[in-house]
Amino acid sequence: MVVTIDGPAGSGKSTIARLLAQRLGFAFLDTGAMYRAVTLAALRRGWTEAEAAALAELVPHLHIAFDGQRTWLNGEDVSQAIRRPEVTAAVHLAADNPHVRQRLVELQRQHAQGKDLVTEGRDQGTVVFPDAECKFFLTASRQERARRRWDELRRRGAAVTLEEVLAEQDARDQRDASRAIGALRKAADAIEICTDGLSPEDVVARLEAIVRQRQAAATAAI
């Protein structure tokens, strides 16, 4: 069974997806981490936006792996490095590249083979797993999403203002919505849930109940 969780940055999908996978005993896939890993590799090579078109040539030389909590790039734990502000600011270089997206979509589908999986991103229910048995679309207000991101960055020691986070988020939202391939949009059969005012536990409990209902219905139909 594949469960997809899509939504904009700061909607809580990464946290919710990881917790939901744990509750269900499913594997977890953070697709955003894949794009961040590609971006980190490019930045380490000193690549600039002018060289973004060549990113697709880099991907086959990267080994990206997950263990449910951490992200590994060519054997190195980069879980913290891929969350740095400079990676966030440049991740669109990978996400906007259709050849990079095509390759990573292939890897995401390979990762799902033979597994019960919870996967999160921007296009999981629309492009990567259009036939997923259960789809969710998480939202939150613009201000709440920025506040969550700001709190996260401050915990990591980043010196950034809420206004800067909000401006970066607005720019990212615009890019995500206008992307030619893999644009952020809600799948027609996805269940939308606003996470404003809800704890992660509240959201996970709601999603878990829906997934288990669908599991029971599928079992009864056999």
Side-chain angles (χ1 to χ4, degrees), residues 106 108-117 129:
E106 293 172 356
Q108 290 158 22
R109 289 172 177 163
Q110 290 174 13
H111 187 81
Q113 290 179 0
K115 296 186 181 78
D116 290 321
L117 180 74
F129 300 105

Side-chain angles (χ1 to χ4, degrees), residues 165-198:
V165 173
L166 191 59
E168 191 278 332
Q169 175 183 278
D170 288 344
R172 187 173 179 182
D173 285 349
Q174 178 60 34
R175 287 195 300 267
D176 286 345
S178 59
R179 186 171 292 129
I181 299 175
L184 173 64
R185 61 184 178 87
K186 175 188 169 187
D189 54 346
I191 299 171
E192 183 171 335
I193 296 178
C194 178
T195 62
D196 279 3
L198 298 176

